[in-house]
Amino acid sequence: MSSQRAEAAQLLNMELANIQDAVTQLNIRGPTLAFHNVHYSVSVPPMVPFKGGKEKEVLRDVSGIMKPGMNAILGPTGSGKTSLLDVLAGWKDPKGLKSGQIFMDGKLVDSNIHRCSAYVVQEDILTGTLSVRENLQFSANLRLPQSKHSSAEKAAKVDAVIQELGLQDCADTKIGTEFLRGVSGGEKKRCSIGMELITSPSLIFLDEPTTGLDANTANAIMQLLHQLSRKGRTVIFSIHQPRYSIFRLLDHLTLMNKGEIIFAGPAREATAYFNSIGYQCEQFNNPLDFFLDVISGEVIQSQTKEDFGSKSSFSSSSSLDKSPLSRYYLQSSFYQELQEELKSLRSSENHPYEVTLSKATYVTSFIHQLYVVSCRNVKQLLRNPQTSFGQILLGAIFSVLVGLIYYQIPDTMPEALQNRLGAFFFTVLTQIFGNLSAVELFIYDRKLFIHESARNYYRTSAYFLAKVFADLLPNRIFPVLLFSSISYFMMGLKPDAIAFFLYVLSLSLTNLAAVSLAFLVSASVNSFAVANLLIALPYVFMMVFGGFLVNLNSMLNWLSWIKWISIYRYGMNALTINELTGLTFHLNSTRILGEMYMEQQEIDYSTWGFWENHLALLCLTKGHQADATHQFHWVMGCKLNQLVQKRN
């Protein structure tokens, strides 16, 4: 009797909850997303080179309807739940979509679904040195049209999102980095959701929103999503083994296994469905854990009802290749009701669902994007100044070191000429190898760039130029000025103001040429180890064949071309011409002109010859910069295309 009373009480509570949810649904105005016979496959690389790869079915003719409210996609690892989520959100490679139709409110959808939807990825990709409010403000400044929203309206929108997500207490707290303690995991997830809510989407996709969170935090995040779903939004998310309190929040549940749907219907009716086909859920067992146990085969099936027929009836069905759980679902009333609803939504013509990678559209101008991204970069530098301090400290140490080694170089031979040339060589060497930190410029934030660029925050060119401009002044130009001011006077070079400024100019152009080459490498690879290797090789070759360590006249002809791209050669020649022109050395009672050495080395010390080296350094800088821009565009374009191909 007690067990019967408990079951009756449980049924009563479920009925009351259903009535309450039905009343709540009347106030929901979110879109309805339906999909019919979606088949998606990917190409698997061959195990043996030069052999054709195989096609792997990820989704096998799946159909369903995601109504306003909380729609969960549940399944074990590799079941295809994330792939289904990505297909619905339009984040899959269109080449893998073999067939299917997707409707939103009865109309076929295309890539324009991104305009009214938001996608929250599993990993929280945010700028760690900015606060919660500043991250949301960054999203608002770039994703809300300038013509329709003023600065005050954007700030009000940010405040409204903070209020809606319950982030008031941590709104001005930094997100946090590996060196800076910031907000908690739950607050970071809320901020990630807020970055997408800025555009007021009516359709929200989330990939594993509870991953990496403790039970209480995960429950709080799901409570937040439940509140959002009751404010006119359709929330669709994949989830893995949530707690029972989360299960009670679900309106619609889709269970998947090996690319097939084995149940799709109201979440509260799922347990009764599995009980009807012979899988009994034990009392006090979490239904979602029970469903996963059924999929994995850990729950033994008892005698099924006659409504589903004998197992032999499956042999005459049209779904012989389906799994038993999938075949049960195809014969259930849930599937039949689904087909009836899909018939009313499908158009009369059989249009295939197509996702096109259309040209990105931006709601803000290039200048505005450049300004907003540059402001963020400046804030990052001010709040994480280790690199800038390191470059300034390195420049100061190198300048003092060179100044002490070559302190007050005399005018008597042979020390006068030998020490000056040695000082110039080490000066150029420090300016080139002292900027190896530039290779991290586009590697450190690459994941952030791909995430933001895929959502049309800004143009690739705006991001590239903003990063370069923010890096040059504090990390490249100022250390050169400090180095020049200390080393020039400690070495006792030509006491002439024009000569000093030309010395600064020569070192600055040498520095920029080396930095631009580092930018090119940084834009081409995504690993620090590979970047350091690739940047060291050209630096060494330029040093060896720059004319100081090897006599270029006696060098093999097939290697002589390297001197024309050597930063060392142009930097050394510029410093040598600036210092030795008009300078007289003494060897006992003999006067030796600096021009005599340059003539012997075939260095053109004329006015044109001097500026020719600066022009060459400027051309190398522009050439490397242009190549870096082109390479960054190309590599990032490939990354963005791969983003929709590798989310399997």
Side-chain angles (χ1 to χ4, degrees):
M1 292 293 292
S2 58
S3 61
Q4 292 179 354
R5 291 178 180 175
E7 292 179 1
Q10 184 178 6
L11 291 175
L12 180 59
N13 291 333
M14 292 181 63
E15 289 297 330
L16 291 175
N18 288 334
I19 294 174
Q20 183 179 1
D21 284 349
V23 173
T24 307
Q25 289 281 351
L26 295 176
N27 299 321
I28 298 178
R29 296 292 183 268
T32 298
L33 195 67
F35 54 99
H36 176 65
N37 289 346
V38 174
H39 185 98
Y40 184 82
S41 60
V42 295
S43 298
V44 180
M47 299 296 294
V48 180
F50 308 109
K51 286 190 176 182
K54 297 181 180 180
E55 288 284 330
K56 177 185 177 182
E57 291 183 324
V58 179
L59 299 175
R60 302 176 59 189
D61 298 325
V62 295
S63 301
I65 297 179
M66 302 296 182
K67 298 180 180 180
M70 294 280 284
N71 299 268
I73 305 174
L74 180 71
T77 302
S79 62
K81 58 182 184 297
T82 300
S83 296
L84 175 59
L85 187 74
D86 292 345
V87 168
L88 297 179
W91 282 91
K92 276 297 185 185
D93 182 11
K95 296 180 180 179
L97 287 170
K98 304 303 181 183
S99 63
Q101 294 175 306
I102 295 185
F103 307 88
M104 186 166 67
D105 290 336
K107 297 180 181 180
L108 281 168
V109 301
D110 53 19
S111 56
N112 292 327
I113 192 176
H114 295 294
R115 297 180 180 179
C116 64
S117 65
Y119 193 105
V120 181
V121 297
Q122 181 174 345
E123 183 180 0
D124 299 318
I125 304 177
L126 301 165
T127 305
T129 53
L130 300 185
S131 66
V132 171
R133 186 185 303 276
E134 289 170 336
N135 273 281
L136 296 177
Q137 189 68 50
F138 180 80
S139 179
N141 288 334
L142 294 176
R143 302 181 74 185
L144 296 179
Q146 293 176 269
S147 59
K148 298 180 180 180
H149 298 83
S150 63
S151 299
E153 291 174 341
K154 292 179 180 179
K157 179 65 176 178
V158 170
D159 292 336
V161 171
I162 291 175
Q163 184 74 24
E164 186 175 18
L165 299 181
L167 293 171
Q168 301 92 325
D169 294 337
C170 63
D172 297 316
T173 304
K174 296 180 179 62
I175 296 296
T177 64
E178 61 269 24
F179 305 109
L180 176 67
R181 184 177 178 85
V183 299
S184 64
E187 292 168 337
K188 189 179 297 185
K189 177 62 68 176
R190 288 171 181 259
C191 185
S192 297
I193 297 173
M195 296 285 283
E196 301 298 325
L197 292 183
I198 286 294
T199 58
S200 302
S202 58
L203 188 59
I204 304 176
F205 299 94
L206 303 100
D207 183 17
E208 302 276 1
T210 60
T211 298
L213 304 178
D214 60 79
N216 290 331
T217 305
N219 185 64
I221 292 297
M222 298 310 298
Q223 289 282 356
L224 170 64
L225 295 177
H226 184 264
Q227 295 174 9
L228 295 177
S229 70
R230 267 51 189 171
K231 296 179 181 180
R233 298 183 177 97
T234 300
V235 181
I236 306 172
F237 55 92
S238 61
I239 195 166
H240 182 72
Q241 209 164 356
R243 57 193 288 184
Y244 178 71
S245 59
I246 295 177
F247 172 70
R248 295 177 58 186
L249 301 175
L250 306 182
D251 298 309
H252 187 275
L253 177 64
T254 300
L255 295 175
M256 297 192 67
N257 182 37
K258 298 181 180 179
E260 298 176 340
I261 293 180
I262 62 173
F263 173 80
R268 299 187 184 279
E269 299 180 21
T271 305
Y273 164 75
F274 278 97
N275 290 340
S276 67
I277 62 174
Y279 294 96
Q280 300 298 322
C281 180
E282 298 178 353
Q283 191 177 10
F284 306 118
N285 188 11
N286 182 3
L288 295 176
D289 291 335
F290 164 71
F291 301 150
L292 293 176
D293 291 340
V294 170
I295 295 173
S296 63
E298 296 183 9
V299 177
I300 301 176
Q301 184 183 20
S302 60
Q303 185 66 33
T304 62
K305 287 189 175 182
E306 295 181 357
D307 294 341
F308 292 90
S310 62
K311 293 182 180 180
S312 61
S313 65
F314 293 137
S315 61
S316 60
S317 66
S318 59
S319 56
L320 294 177
D321 57 340
K322 299 287 185 178
S323 64
L325 290 174
S326 179
R327 287 181 288 181
Y328 279 127
Y329 170 66
L330 293 178
Q331 296 188 9
S332 67
S333 59
F334 295 100
Y335 184 76
Q336 302 304 323
E337 293 175 2
L338 171 65
Q339 294 302 311
E340 292 297 328
E341 291 188 65
L342 288 175
K343 284 181 181 179
S344 62
L345 292 174
R346 275 182 286 170
S347 60
S348 58
E349 299 179 3
N350 186 20
H351 296 289
Y353 169 57
E354 296 181 355
V355 176
T356 57
L357 297 179
S358 58
K359 185 178 180 180
T361 57
Y362 304 95
V363 299
T364 56
S365 64
F366 171 81
I367 299 299
H368 181 77
Q369 294 171 6
L370 182 63
Y371 171 76
V372 173
V373 179
S374 298
C375 289
R376 183 179 70 170
N377 292 337
V378 171
K379 288 181 180 179
Q380 286 183 284
L381 286 173
L382 294 176
R383 296 173 183 179
N384 190 21
Q386 289 87 347
T387 300
S388 300
F389 285 160
Q391 288 295 134
I392 294 173
L393 182 62
L394 188 66
I397 292 176
F398 279 161
S399 62
V400 173
L401 182 62
V402 173
L404 290 175
I405 295 175
Y406 300 100
Y407 184 74
Q408 299 298 316
I409 303 175
D411 293 335
T412 57
M413 295 290 286
E415 294 87 354
L417 184 60
Q418 181 180 3
N419 287 356
R420 278 176 171 81
L421 295 177
F424 296 155
F425 174 78
F426 282 108
T427 297
V428 173
L429 184 71
T430 57
Q431 295 308 307
I432 294 179
F433 278 95
N435 288 286
L436 289 177
S437 62
V439 298
E440 76 167 5
L441 186 66
F442 300 111
I443 297 178
Y444 183 77
D445 289 333
R446 178 158 297 190
K447 186 183 298 184
L448 178 66
F449 164 78
I450 293 175
H451 174 78
E452 294 175 344
S453 183
R455 286 152 180 79
N456 297 339
Y457 276 72
Y458 40 68
R459 295 168 177 83
T460 303
S461 55
Y463 175 84
F464 181 88
L465 293 176
K467 291 290 288 185
V468 170
F469 292 157
D471 179 80
L472 286 180
L473 183 61
N475 296 338
R476 316 302 162 196
I477 302 300
F478 187 76
V480 173
L481 298 178
L482 180 63
F483 179 92
S484 304
S485 302
I486 297 176
S487 63
Y488 189 88
F489 298 103
M490 288 188 68
M491 291 186 294
L493 300 180
K494 186 186 297 185
D496 182 76
I498 297 178
F500 170 73
F501 287 114
L502 291 178
Y503 174 84
V504 175
L505 177 63
S506 301
L507 286 187
S508 299
L509 290 176
T510 302
N511 183 286
L512 291 178
V515 169
S516 62
L517 182 58
F519 287 165
L520 173 60
V521 173
S522 179
S524 305
V525 299
N526 55 5
S527 169
F528 286 110
V530 176
N532 287 329
L533 176 63
L534 292 180
I535 195 61
L537 288 176
Y539 281 175
V540 171
F541 273 94
M542 290 179 184
M543 178 179 63
V544 173
F545 300 105
F548 184 80
L549 300 179
V550 177
N551 192 320
L552 298 178
N553 297 324
S554 62
M555 193 170 55
L556 297 177
N557 292 331
W558 63 280
L559 291 176
S560 60
W561 62 271
I562 300 179
K563 66 182 180 181
W564 301 112
I565 60 172
S566 175
I567 301 174
Y568 284 90
R569 177 174 179 266
Y570 296 117
M572 283 284 298
N573 286 350
L575 294 176
T576 301
I577 295 172
N578 181 57
E579 176 66 18
L580 298 187
T581 300
L583 201 62
T584 302
F585 304 112
H586 301 277
L587 179 60
N588 297 327
S589 60
T590 305
R591 297 176 60 199
I592 301 177
L593 300 178
E595 288 83 353
M596 297 174 59
Y597 169 78
M598 291 186 286
E599 290 176 357
Q600 182 183 7
Q601 296 296 319
E602 298 182 357
I603 298 176
D604 184 5
Y605 56 87
S606 64
T607 302
W608 165 246
F610 174 73
W611 291 108
E612 183 182 34
N613 293 286
H614 292 83
L615 180 62
L617 289 173
L618 186 61
C619 290
L620 287 175
T621 301
K622 293 295 184 180
H624 293 156
Q625 199 75 6
D627 290 341
T629 306
H630 174 75
Q631 188 71 8
F632 187 76
H633 274 274
W634 184 80
V635 171
M636 291 300 101
C638 293
K639 292 291 184 182
L640 290 175
N641 289 335
Q642 292 173 3
L643 179 66
V644 296
Q645 299 178 21
K646 293 187 175 181
R647 296 183 55 81
N648 300 323

